[in-house]
Amino acid sequence: MPDHGELLVIGECVADIVQLPGEAPRVHPGGSPANVAYGLARLGHRTVLLTQLGADDNGRLIRAHLASGGVDVRTDGSATATPSAAVTLDAAGRATYAFDVTWDLSPVAVAPAPAHVHTGSIGAVAAPGSATVLDLVRSARPTATVSYDPNVRPALMGDRATAVRRVEECVALSDLVKASDEDLEWLYPGEEPDRIAERWLGLGPAAVLVTRGGDGALALLPGGPIPVEAPRVEVADTVGAGDAFMSGTLHALAAHGLIGEGARERLPAVDRDTVVDVLRHAVASAAVTVSRAGANPPGAHELRDALAHN
């Protein structure tokens, strides 16, 4: 595939410790930004992840996993323990998390300058490291496009009013924002997702994408909403589905020349067919992931096959 420049993802890695009844605990590499970086690398993109990892078994496991997909992992060297989460799956494969996370990312020089920066989840809102993340995003914006996924984790968000302010600060720095309907319900209880997305558009992004699980996704742009249905698949679990949606989105945007220097001016005028194509890539990527256990996004050939059959 053509080289679209380096993609930088900033945010946490988390060791997901999954306990199923009658089985020994299993540790899986996780963390929303880490999953997005892994998905992008598997799709053929030069991808750097700036994160924190401890010099422990969980850190070594995650680093090896990311490297196996082609991710260039960089850290600030300060973490003493790798963040972790106890994961519980319900009968439908939906995951809930109990976190043990410290996020105090220190300033790190990133070179060469990336074409695109993605951030979100804990790393973008949890102090004190979130301040470093936002400074890095601001410094990259003159030559890079920016995407953001709040990926709300209520146990780590603090009080709702403070969380909303931090999320909206990230939204205002971004060209593209993706959020699930569950994220929006926690941030703005009782409000319709499309109304929230319209309000977010007014803060600065060119597009806001809202994921709705098995009901597909919706893109809100200045010209109005564009929906897409989700492919029908047998769900193993939903771990990493939103992250695979994000990596599929960025993959398709890159193919259309809509990331990197100069793309910020083109994004608001993108045509409907292009948006539909981006959404099709996104929901297909998520569908592959939910069809198998864990955060296991598709490679480029798997995504092409999924698109061909939907």
Side-chain angles (χ1 to χ4, degrees), residues 237-250:
D237 64 50
T238 62
V239 177
D243 305 323
F245 182 100
M246 191 75 245
S247 56
T249 296
L250 296 177

Side-chain angles (χ1 to χ4, degrees), residues 281-310:
H281 278 76
V283 296
S285 180
V288 172
T289 301
V290 302
S291 72
R292 51 201 190 191
N296 188 1
H301 70 283
E302 291 177 305
L303 182 54
R304 286 194 296 270
D305 288 347
L307 287 164
H309 289 91
N310 290 293

Side-chain angles (χ1 to χ4, degrees), residues 18-230:
V18 181
Q19 176 72 69
L20 298 176
E23 297 184 13
R26 294 184 179 183
V27 180
H28 300 279
S32 175
N35 291 340
V36 172
Y38 184 71
L40 287 169
R42 291 206 68 200
L43 290 169
H45 298 275
R46 289 193 291 122
T47 308
V48 173
L49 174 66
L50 178 57
T51 190
Q52 290 186 300
L53 285 171
D56 50 24
D57 288 346
N58 287 342
R60 286 185 284 272
L61 172 72
I62 292 173
R63 188 182 289 273
H65 165 74
L66 293 167
S68 74
V71 179
D72 178 359
V73 181
R74 303 181 193 176
T75 72
D76 65 357
S78 67
T80 57
T82 300
S84 63
V87 183
T88 303
L89 300 176
D90 67 13
R94 293 185 293 264
T96 56
Y97 301 82
F99 291 95
D100 181 6
V101 174
T102 299
W103 180 249
D104 53 3
L105 186 73
S106 301
V108 177
V110 178
H116 184 86
V117 179
H118 173 76
T119 190
S121 196
I122 300 163
V125 297
S130 57
T132 299
V133 174
L134 294 192
D135 284 346
L136 288 167
V137 171
R138 291 187 187 100
S139 67
R141 270 182 58 85
T143 57
T145 41
V146 177
S147 57
Y148 170 63
D149 176 6
N151 191 50
V152 169
R153 297 295 184 233
L156 297 172
M157 299 295 285
D159 72 273
R160 184 177 279 106
T162 299
V164 168
R165 286 195 298 272
R166 289 176 173 171
V167 166
E168 290 181 351
E169 184 178 10
C170 296
V171 170
L173 287 171
S174 302
D175 301 292
L176 174 77
V177 177
K178 169 258 171 190
S180 71
D181 49 7
E182 293 177 346
D183 293 335
L184 299 178
E185 174 60 27
W186 188 88
L187 290 165
Y188 309 96
E191 293 195 44
E192 291 296 323
D194 55 346
R195 298 295 297 274
I196 300 165
E198 288 175 5
R199 193 160 67 245
W200 278 7
L201 279 179
L203 297 177
V208 176
L209 310 183
V210 179
T211 60
R212 303 182 295 186
D215 292 328
L218 182 72
L220 268 292
L221 295 94
I226 300 175
V228 67
E229 294 183 357

Side-chain angles (χ1 to χ4, degrees), residues 259-299:
I259 65 168
E261 190 169 9
R264 181 167 295 124
E265 290 71 31
R266 296 192 298 274
L267 276 167
V270 67
D271 63 87
R272 184 183 182 89
D273 287 346
T274 299
V275 176
V276 170
D277 185 63
V278 169
L279 289 174
R280 286 187 65 247
H281 278 76
V283 296
S285 180
V288 172
T289 301
V290 302
S291 72
R292 51 201 190 191
N296 188 1

